Amino acid sequence: MTRNAALYGFNDRGSLEVGKRADINVIDFDKLSVGSPVAYKDLPAGGTRVMQPVTGYIATYCNGIKIREDDSDTGARPGRLVRS
């Protein structure tokens, strides 16, 4: 378990082991690039959020489920908000 996970009492994450939660990025470093930030005014009460497009991610997994593939959203939402 990593020190960060242990510090906040997250005993079910922090290392790649059977039965533990994990978020994993598979990256093609030769294609990795970061675009300019873009502001979107689409939050409740007119709030603004800033997104920064990135390319070069082959896949992103959350708790063993692929949520992004070749820089595109798969629509899967296995994650959840965690508060400590």
Side-chain angles (χ1 to χ4, degrees), residues 33-54:
S33 69
V34 179
S36 298
V38 179
Y40 294 94
K41 294 190 99 180
D42 59 357
L43 295 176
T48 302
R49 64 185 173 120
V50 177
M51 302 285 288
Q52 192 163 12
V54 178

Side-chain angles (χ1 to χ4, degrees), residues 11-76:
N11 300 320
D12 63 342
R13 60 198 75 203
S15 62
L16 293 176
E17 297 178 52
V18 173
K20 290 197 174 190
R21 301 176 71 84
D23 296 344
I24 303 166
N25 287 311
V26 181
I27 302 169
D28 181 342
F29 285 103
D30 292 331
K31 295 181 181 177
L32 186 62
S33 69
V34 179
S36 298
V38 179
Y40 294 94
K41 294 190 99 180
D42 59 357
L43 295 176
T48 302
R49 64 185 173 120
V50 177
M51 302 285 288
Q52 192 163 12
V54 178
T55 58
Y57 282 73
I58 297 168
T60 299
Y61 293 85
C62 177
N63 199 25
I65 298 171
K66 190 183 290 185
I67 61 170
R68 293 191 63 80
E69 183 172 21
D70 297 322
D71 301 316
S72 298
D73 186 10
T74 66

